[in-house]
Amino acid sequence: MAISIKLDDLLHDNRMTLTELAERVDITIANLSILKTGKAKAIRFSTLEAICKELQCQPGDLLTFEDAKDNETP
């Protein structure tokens, strides 16, 4: 089971840099980078809300669930 973050895709679609998003949502570039690379263990709803507001997306556009069973070979 894994939650993946599609922040790169959304940034590209919105023609926005990680630095610009960090400034707009008032989060450090380092913390946003941890989220982008999938190394984050948690995200605050207020952060998720701010990111979605700036990228004009829904949480489901940013976060996806991938079941480990789907990736296993028989």
Side-chain angles (χ1 to χ4, degrees):
M1 161 176 81
I3 302 290
S4 61
I5 309 293
K6 298 190 296 183
L7 187 55
D8 269 338
D9 295 337
L10 291 170
L11 286 170
H12 178 70
D13 292 347
N14 284 277
R15 295 185 176 137
M16 188 181 301
T17 65
L18 192 67
T19 303
E20 186 177 353
L21 180 62
E23 291 172 0
R24 289 183 181 196
V25 299
D26 195 28
I27 187 173
T28 65
I29 296 171
N31 285 338
L32 200 54
S33 181
I34 289 169
L35 180 64
K36 183 181 115 177
T37 60
K39 294 179 182 177
K41 299 295 179 192
I43 183 171
R44 292 182 182 192
F45 281 135
S46 58
T47 302
L48 181 60
E49 181 180 352
I51 291 170
C52 287
K53 182 178 179 180
E54 287 302 321
L55 296 177
Q56 299 176 352
C57 68
Q58 294 294 313
D61 298 330
L62 181 63
L63 307 170
T64 59
F65 172 75
E66 297 173 6
D67 195 350
K69 292 182 208 173
D70 293 342
N71 296 330
E72 292 177 6
T73 54

